[in-house]
Amino acid sequence: MNISVAPSAAYKHRATMESAAHDDVELQVAQFVATLVEHTVLNDCLSQIHAMHSAARHHRGKARGMLIYGLTGTGKSTAAKEYEQRYPRSQASDRVLIPVLRVELPGHPTAKAIGEAILIALGDPLPHAGSAEFRMNRVRKLFKECQVELVILDEFQHITDNLNGRDRNIAADTIKNLMNDTGIPCVFIGTPSCRAYFVQNQQLGRRCSPKIGIRPFGFGTAADRTDFLRLLLALHHKLPFTGPSALIDPQTAEALHFASFGLVGLLIQLVECALRNTLLARATQLTREALHQAFAEVIYPRCPSNRNPFDKRFNCMPLTGPEEPFHGFGA
């Protein structure tokens, strides 16, 4: 005989309360992640984009380009998204005006796929229709109608790394011709492999200046440490607590640099995890212990104690060894 027992009212109430508590935690974590952390590298990057954008607005002519490259997590895409948000879309009587268009290139960005990605970003209802030439003609028409002033092409390394020589050249020609035909400047965002490509490909390289490399935050000089400490202070102020935190503890700063390699994206990912665990534990202070746990969860799972920067047994060596999180990044 099967006997089913209905959940008690107390059980239901407890489950509802726990669900509400988790929702509140995720809301606070989402607010932490969504708030922009301003720092010197980000502001310099935004200033460079603005300079090219402003010049193009006042001096129509041959389109210029700019390359921003760096390791994943240095904040390139954050800068691109922030700049796009500073020039939001607006609705005119018969069309949407898009002063800044940000496009994420697909993993295999052939000329046809590039046209599709741009059309999707523009909001075209039929981005998959037609040949590469048909799509790019549609792009040119919509650029004019939507009064596009600046295009940001993110994940450009998919062109340099994922295509064979012939497809890569066709993709580059597609972008070059678009710049020539519209006079609209382009910001190219990608990993360090992009720089060599822009040096080799003179067709794009001549149109692309400056080429800006974004490096991880350093810790080797007094100036480096000051910049990194300012970043940690900015993150501390984003926390939903009123008291001190491990982020502004001078004894923890170097550990945070070891743990993130100075990469803003990884640092935020680490603090996000530590914050979630802290809130779930109903604690009111983000501690070094919370960072210790978060590092082992999101940066280096199953790491030995002497390779966790927040552990007293950490051997103070960069985490660049084989199978370690920053292998191949250099010391």
Side-chain angles (χ1 to χ4, degrees):
M1 179 183 296
N2 293 326
I3 301 175
S4 60
V5 179
S8 67
Y11 174 84
K12 289 182 178 179
H13 177 72
R14 184 168 64 251
T16 300
M17 293 296 289
E18 289 177 354
S19 177
H22 278 80
D23 288 346
D24 182 62
V25 165
E26 290 305 324
L27 177 61
Q28 292 186 74
V29 172
Q31 290 172 340
F32 169 82
V33 174
T35 306
L36 181 71
V37 181
E38 291 199 27
H39 51 82
T40 304
V41 174
L42 174 66
N43 290 334
D44 287 349
C45 194
L46 293 172
S47 295
Q48 294 270 16
I49 297 174
H50 177 72
M52 188 176 76
H53 185 189
S54 180
R57 275 177 149 184
H58 294 93
H59 304 286
R60 291 287 181 181
K62 190 173 182 180
R64 292 178 53 201
M66 171 191 298
L67 171 64
I68 300 174
Y69 64 93
L71 295 172
T72 300
T74 48
K76 309 179 303 297
S77 293
T78 297
K81 292 174 183 176
E82 172 62 16
Y83 197 82
E84 178 190 34
Q85 290 175 7
R86 293 185 180 187
Y87 295 86
R89 302 181 181 206
S90 60
Q91 182 66 55
S93 58
D94 60 345
R95 69 195 69 186
V96 176
L97 303 181
I98 309 175
V100 175
L101 181 73
R102 185 177 62 86
V103 181
E104 289 193 15
L105 293 177
H108 194 72
T110 60
K112 196 172 183 179
I114 290 171
E116 180 179 322
I118 298 175
L119 289 171
I120 290 172
L122 285 163
D124 185 87
L126 295 172
H128 316 296
S131 64
E133 183 178 1
F134 176 86
R135 294 179 188 185
M136 295 311 296
N137 285 336
R138 179 73 176 152
V139 166
R140 292 180 182 90
K141 181 174 182 292
L142 288 173
F143 273 12
K144 186 174 182 179
E145 291 179 358
C146 298
Q147 298 180 24
V148 175
E149 300 172 354
L150 178 76
V151 177
I152 301 176
L153 294 177
D154 205 350
E155 307 293 351
F156 195 83
Q157 72 276 3
H158 292 162
I159 289 180
T160 63
D161 299 351
N162 298 351
L163 298 180
N164 61 38
R166 178 177 179 275
D167 287 341
R168 189 185 307 123
N169 290 336
I170 293 173
D173 284 344
T174 298
I175 295 170
K176 177 200 69 175
N177 292 336
L178 181 64
M179 294 173 69
N180 288 344
D181 294 343
T182 64
I184 296 173
C186 285
V187 179
F188 304 98
I189 309 282
T191 57
S193 62
C194 295
R195 186 182 185 282
Y197 178 73
F198 274 87
V199 171
Q200 295 165 5
N201 188 303
Q202 295 184 7
Q203 293 292 323
L204 275 180
R206 286 200 309 268
R207 292 167 173 79
C208 190
S209 178
K211 300 174 180 65
I212 304 168
I214 302 180
R215 302 183 61 179
F217 278 82
F219 207 79
T221 68
D224 287 341
R225 290 190 290 275
T226 297
D227 284 343
F228 190 66
L229 289 171
R230 285 175 179 162
L231 173 62
L232 296 180
L233 180 62
L235 284 171
H236 165 77
H237 286 313
K238 287 178 59 177
L239 295 173
F241 308 126
T242 56
S245 76
L247 299 183
I248 55 173
D249 179 357
Q251 302 301 317
T252 307
E254 187 173 18
L256 285 160
H257 190 270
F258 273 118
S260 65
F261 203 75
L263 296 167
V264 179
L266 278 184
L267 180 62
I268 292 175
Q269 186 179 349
L270 174 70
V271 178
E272 175 189 350
C273 180
L275 173 60
R276 178 178 289 106
N277 292 339
T278 299
L279 292 170
L280 288 172
R282 299 184 180 180
T284 58
Q285 183 181 25
L286 193 144
T287 64
R288 187 182 178 102
E289 289 70 27
L291 293 168
H292 185 291
Q293 178 185 349
F295 179 80
E297 286 184 29
V298 298
I299 306 294
Y300 191 0
R302 299 180 299 278
C303 67
S305 298
N306 69 340
R307 302 303 287 139
N308 187 318
F310 306 101
D311 196 291
K312 293 181 180 179
R313 291 161 287 190
F314 181 58
N315 60 13
C316 298
M317 297 294 291
L319 293 153
T320 54
E323 300 184 7
E324 292 189 327
F326 310 120
H327 179 62
F329 286 21

